[in-house]
Amino acid sequence: MVLPIENPTKSYWIEAAESPLRDFRSSDKLPEEIDVAIIGSGYAGASTAYWIHKYTENSPKKPAVTLLEARDICGSATGRNGGQLRPHAYSRYPPWSERFGPDGAMELIAHEMAHLQAFRDLAAEEGITEEVCLKFGETFDAAMTDEAWSRLEGAYEAMRKDHGDDNEIVKVCRLLKDTQEAEDFTQMKGALAAVVHPTGQIWPYKFVHAILRILLQKSNLNLQAHTPVTEVSERDKNGWITVKTARGTIRTRIVVHTTNRWASHLLPEFSKLILPLRGPVSAIKAPPGFLKHTGAQHWDAVCNNYHLQLPPPYNMIILGGARPVTVHKPETCTMNDDEDRQIDGVAEYFKSWPGSDVKDWPGSSRADFGRQDNEGGCWTGVQTSSADAFPFVGPVPNRAGHYIAAGFAGHGMPRILLSAAHIAPLVLESLGLEYSQPSLASAFPPLPRPFHATAERIERLQSTDVAAIAEQYKKGCEESAKKPFCDPGRPTSKS
């Protein structure tokens, strides 16, 4: 069994938010009997609870929901990620089209793009837009090498060829082929070209805590921090599932597993399907409004950075990736849960990044973190890789009353909100409760077919060779590590 490490490195998102819900417990004792137990208090767990509330807001009976978290509330992947609400608007089109056909690829892209409007509408309805630092604009993929541009431009042109210039998604993407224009727009030294498309950015931890605060006021939510679940039973003949925790036992009708990397702790059939992948992030002081767009630098298919800047009064640049450093030590990332440790060399790389890579950076060559390295200035977080590159969403096969939304492969921000909206009515139907679709959900696209946690898919993936996945990751890193932009000293933006 695997549970999250108890003392992870400190994340700026969490430390700077200073939320009163961080260690919150609704009650000293756990409720004895409930309708729904949600395990995991991050983005997926909070969103599931939110949609259950919205679907039953006008119903005569509202379900009793308890949300259980092994450590502090939203202290795992959601509280440690990059904050980019950034759809794959074009970049994954070639592999998705090869697997699912041109229409299947666009179904996946449209689902991600729909999150931009969904976040806009939800935040406006709940009055939390400013609180959670939600912004919309344009993002870029900056090609730092010819190799990177061949891949990025090729992905866009493949989508354009299949769907034409009049397709709505094709139309919102644009290419910057002039090097000077690319440098000026991206503010990245040495950018050769770029692809630009719509995006959003958010303070993920604040978003989750805002949603949970609202639910604690308006719904039958019981929130329990520092309550690791040690065991869940099958549903008994009377329709009850027993959830055992370190603080006592709960009987529930439904369990929703939103534990991402740790899903296999309670669902061993996912042990080869959802795998750990650790990455570093930092928070760098910057002048207000200095970076105009969120974005990513690409050197090859393995090496990249990604960044955004928070609005005033925070102004911090959130920078993640550091792949030119971590390719030299792949074992620190893949199949790794060591959130309690920094990755050697990464903090110095992040501090040197603005002076080395950002055009017209006004500060010193060595940037300052917003906090000390181990107090929220630089941290690590465990996301996931998936055996087939897609999350698992829906009823868990052969486990009556169990549902899952996990395995989002480091790309949960433009996937989870609408995945949770798919689960909520399924849960309510299983409970036999009246519900109605909220206006917020009226225009949502269907859950993409590759996301469905079907029995056939889970059975097929049991043959996954985890060692082979780790070896493939290692080989990819080793190939990139040989290239000039992965100089193990101070990697530069130019090849």
Side-chain angles (χ1 to χ4, degrees), residues 200-320:
Q201 66 179 72
I202 195 168
W203 193 313
Y205 182 86
K206 282 195 174 190
F207 172 74
V208 167
H209 280 238
I211 291 299
L212 293 176
R213 182 190 70 239
I214 290 166
L215 295 180
L216 287 168
Q217 295 168 351
K218 295 183 177 181
S219 74
N220 294 338
L221 177 67
N222 187 294
L223 181 61
Q224 296 288 338
H226 305 290
T227 309
V229 176
T230 56
E231 185 180 340
V232 290
S233 74
E234 300 298 321
R235 181 182 272 173
D236 66 24
K237 63 182 181 180
N238 296 314
W240 291 105
I241 298 169
T242 300
V243 177
K244 294 183 179 180
T245 82
R247 297 175 51 228
T249 299
I250 300 174
R251 294 209 304 170
T252 182
R253 299 294 185 182
I254 297 289
V255 175
V256 185
H257 300 261
T258 60
T259 45
N260 208 34
R261 179 274 176 269
W262 294 281
S264 61
H265 166 63
L266 301 172
L267 300 172
E269 61 266 41
F270 288 91
S271 61
K272 293 183 178 181
L273 279 57
I274 300 174
L275 305 168
L277 185 65
R278 184 174 68 135
V281 190
S282 65
I284 296 169
K285 289 182 179 180
F290 179 74
L291 291 182
K292 307 305 180 188
H293 308 283
T294 76
Q297 298 165 283
H298 298 264
W299 288 270
D300 64 10
V302 172
C303 281
N304 60 70
N305 288 326
Y306 55 88
H307 63 266
L308 59 82
Q309 182 169 3
L310 292 170
Y314 307 102
N315 303 316
M316 306 299 295
I317 294 173
I318 305 299
L319 172 65

Side-chain angles (χ1 to χ4, degrees), residues 76-158:
S76 295
T78 307
R80 319 183 74 76
N81 72 12
Q84 294 214 36
L85 178 55
R86 190 172 189 266
H88 286 321
Y90 76 98
S91 58
R92 297 296 188 273
Y93 182 82
W96 290 352
S97 179
E98 183 177 347
R99 288 177 65 179
F100 309 113
D103 291 340
M106 291 306 273
E107 176 189 11
L108 287 159
I109 292 172
H111 186 261
E112 295 196 14
M113 296 292 284
H115 279 73
L116 300 180
Q117 190 62 47
F119 265 89
R120 188 189 303 272
D121 292 346
L122 187 157
E125 179 162 318
E126 301 297 350
I128 59 173
T129 301
E130 185 174 346
E131 175 186 351
V132 303
C133 299
L134 180 62
K135 291 176 59 181
F136 298 95
E138 289 188 305
T139 191
F140 61 81
D141 288 311
M144 311 308 296
T145 64
D146 290 331
E147 178 183 355
W149 182 237
S150 177
R151 180 174 61 87
L152 297 173
E153 182 185 31
Y156 170 78
E157 292 296 348

Side-chain angles (χ1 to χ4, degrees), residues 2 14 41 49 126 133 142 147 177 239 264 299-300 325 340 346 386 396 400 407-408 415 421 471 473:
V2 178
I14 299 173
S41 69
E126 301 297 350
C133 299
E147 178 183 355
K177 295 185 178 182
S264 61
W299 288 270
D300 64 10
V325 174
D340 57 341
V346 163
S386 162
V396 180
F408 287 92
R415 288 179 166 175
E471 184 60 26
Y473 180 92

